[in-house]
Amino acid sequence: GLVHRSGDAAALSREIVRVRDDAPLRARLAAAARKEAEAWPLERAVAIVRSLCGETQPVAVDAARPA
């Protein structure tokens, strides 16, 4: 992933433009995101999203992430 200081809108903007303009970077980020998403059981991911939306009891995100 890409990291910038919280609240630094200019840095966020630069990173967005960087990703927009750099196809190989976009592909690497997409592949890494896909790999991370595939590591999560669908049921746990749904439970986390529902928890964030206030539909169920809160779920500890760290506890939900596979080892």
Side-chain angles (χ1 to χ4, degrees), residues 4-36:
H4 65 277
R5 184 181 308 130
S6 177
D8 189 343
L12 175 60
S13 177
R14 285 190 300 274
E15 293 300 341
I16 291 170
V17 170
R18 180 176 165 212
V19 171
R20 180 197 69 194
D21 294 344
D22 188 336
L25 174 62
R26 256 192 336 271
R28 286 192 309 274
L29 290 172
R34 191 173 303 109
K35 182 178 179 182
E36 178 69 16

Side-chain angles (χ1 to χ4, degrees), residues 36-60:
E36 178 69 16
E38 289 170 351
W40 287 74
L42 180 60
E43 297 79 14
R44 290 301 287 161
V46 169
I48 291 168
V49 171
R50 285 186 173 164
S51 173
L52 293 171
C53 294
E55 292 183 23
T56 63
Q57 293 296 322
V59 174

